[in-house]
Amino acid sequence: MTQTMASSSTQEVAAELLRRPAFVMVSHVKPDGDTLGAGLALGIALKRLGKRVHYFQQDPVPRNLRFLPDTEFVTRDIPGDLPPDTLYVFCDMSDFSRAGEFLPKVERENMLDIDHHLGNSHFGKFNFVLDTECSTGTVVMHLFRELKIEIDRDLATCILTTIMTDTGGFMHSNTTPAVLELSAELMRIGADKEQITEEIFANRRVAATRLLGSVIDAMVFGHEGRYCYSYVDDPMLARTDADGEDTEDVVNTLRGQEGVEVAALFKAIEGEIRVSLRSNGRVNVQAAAATLGGGGHFRASGLTFHGTLADAFVAVDAALTAQGL
Ligand code: 5GP
Ligand code: MN
């Protein structure tokens, strides 16, 4: 068991960024607008400070995030000639295993963990974790202020994307007055809220809507209507011509049904079962996911289940029941 490192101060992390010559910005598997937007924003700012920056992401950039600046440089390759004191910056993940198995081994000495998840494992030498922030992008803003980085249109677009992703387009309870004030400022700088809305929320693929129909057909209610779950599997994807990316916000539809406090979507795709959990705020789904090896936030969490789909239904129900569902 490795020792958990303490949190690092804003000043300490800013000084470390200035000290290091080269960086690899690392985003998590099944990337969303927060992990990628935060890494791109910091990477672009570091390049402006004269640093060498690479972007590592195991999965391809999702279609709806390709409008972000610098996404053409995101790959699953790490150049062979990086200096030994290259800093690997992990954005928006409670553990480095979320980066996927393609990331080569990185010494802890060279890891910076920037995040806003509850229960972040403090896996880096430096851990800049602010769990009251709405997105990892707004955690990065603390570093920008410390480093006196001028926020231009590209940085503003990345940061507003992190905010809109993680607040569900300003709908979730993490949308505080301060978040709205910062968002207004980012819009004034030139972040295009219309475009972000269109790309991330409005521009739904027809295949995704067909898939949603199948998921709705398969909905099951339990716990006197307070729990709703459904699933996606390979035949369902084939039938609707959808792919894994089209499953992303389906669970929110389940959570949005009248009377539902907790929703679960089980994604049995290509031999793996991924579970997404959402709560209306009474039941802590982060705690439920953590008992099954996953994690996330109080109202939104996820996990990978090892076993059959039928076993997954039972195990997740039990974990949610233990949290008071
Ligand atoms: P989603 O359901 O959108 O995949 O994930 C919801 C939230 O839970 C996100 O904040 C995500 O980072 C977190 N999460 C999802 N899967 C896992 C997992 O396997 N482990 C951990 N620690 N967090 C997860
Ligand atoms: Mn996030």
Side-chain angles (χ1 to χ4, degrees):
M1 191 71 193
T2 43
Q3 198 195 339
T4 297
M5 296 281 179
S7 294
S8 317
S9 69
T10 314
Q11 294 76 8
E12 192 185 348
V13 177
E16 195 61 25
L17 294 176
L18 293 177
R19 203 175 70 74
R20 301 273 184 152
F23 298 83
V24 176
M25 315 304 302
V26 183
S27 36
H28 61 66
V29 292
K30 308 270 160 58
D32 63 8
D34 190 25
T35 189
L36 189 56
L40 292 169
L42 187 53
I44 291 167
L46 287 167
K47 283 203 264 184
R48 276 206 227 129
L49 295 175
K51 308 290 185 178
R52 181 170 170 194
V53 174
H54 290 273
Y55 302 102
F56 171 89
Q57 181 175 274
Q58 178 160 319
D59 294 334
V61 176
R63 288 178 288 270
N64 64 359
L65 294 174
R66 291 190 192 145
F67 71 98
L68 289 172
D70 261 14
T71 46
E72 66 271 31
F73 304 123
V74 177
T75 72
R76 61 159 61 165
D77 304 318
I78 304 271
D81 64 340
L82 287 171
D85 57 347
T86 296
L87 188 65
Y88 287 70
V89 184
F90 296 77
C91 288
D92 195 44
M93 48 195 116
S94 38
D95 193 75
F96 67 86
S97 59
R98 297 267 296 140
E101 66 271 23
F102 278 76
L103 183 72
K105 184 170 164 36
V106 180
E107 294 301 324
R108 188 171 196 166
E109 198 58 29
N110 293 327
M111 286 189 184
L112 163 60
D113 155 25
I114 304 183
D115 190 25
H116 68 134
H117 286 93
L118 291 172
N120 177 289
S121 66
H122 284 206
F123 55 88
K125 166 81 187 293
F126 307 94
N127 299 285
F128 194 49
V129 181
L130 303 176
D131 64 17
T132 54
E133 287 293 336
C134 75
S135 71
T136 299
T138 63
V139 178
V140 166
M141 280 299 298
H142 288 252
L143 299 172
F144 286 173
R145 288 185 199 107
E146 179 67 24
L147 291 165
K148 306 206 162 39
I149 301 285
E150 192 196 327
I151 309 296
D152 66 1
R153 191 193 171 103
D154 278 356
L155 296 187
T157 298
C158 291
I159 301 293
L160 188 59
T161 298
T162 73
I163 294 173
M164 290 178 64
T165 300
D166 276 21
T167 61
F170 304 116
M171 286 204 290
H172 301 336
S173 61
N174 55 359
T175 313
T176 60
V179 166
L180 292 174
E181 278 155 5
L182 172 61
S183 301
E185 187 52 32
L186 295 170
M187 283 178 72
R188 277 190 204 102
I189 293 167
D192 189 342
K193 176 179 169 296
E194 279 300 299
Q195 185 192 21
I196 299 170
T197 306
E198 191 63 25
E199 296 282 358
I200 297 188
F201 300 102
N203 217 344
R204 181 178 265 287
R205 299 206 312 153
V206 176
T209 304
R210 277 200 207 99
L211 178 69
L212 179 62
S214 299
V215 172
I216 290 172
D217 278 342
M219 275 189 313
V220 178
F221 290 85
H223 294 260
E224 284 102 36
R226 296 191 306 277
Y227 177 44
C228 174
Y229 72 90
S230 188
Y231 71 95
V232 174
D233 61 9
D234 293 313
M236 212 186 253
L237 290 179
R239 217 165 47 234
T240 54
D241 203 21
D243 62 29
E245 275 182 37
D246 297 314
T247 65
E248 282 312 307
D249 66 14
V250 170
V251 66
N252 297 315
T253 300
L254 306 182
R255 219 305 284 140
Q257 300 308 301
E258 193 175 13
V260 171
E261 295 185 347
V262 176
L265 181 68
F266 296 78
K267 297 175 258 191
I269 301 174
E270 291 170 3
E272 194 183 60
I273 300 182
R274 292 272 315 146
V275 186
S276 286
L277 299 175
R278 297 292 184 272
S279 165
N280 72 342
R282 190 179 68 80
V283 174
N284 182 351
V285 292
Q286 185 269 338
T291 64
L292 296 170
H297 307 278
F298 195 102
R299 291 170 182 247
S301 68
L303 61 110
T304 299
F305 187 82
H306 304 282
T308 66
L309 194 52
D311 288 344
F313 293 156
V314 173
V316 168
D317 192 314
L320 291 168
T321 303
Q323 294 306 316
L325 176 63

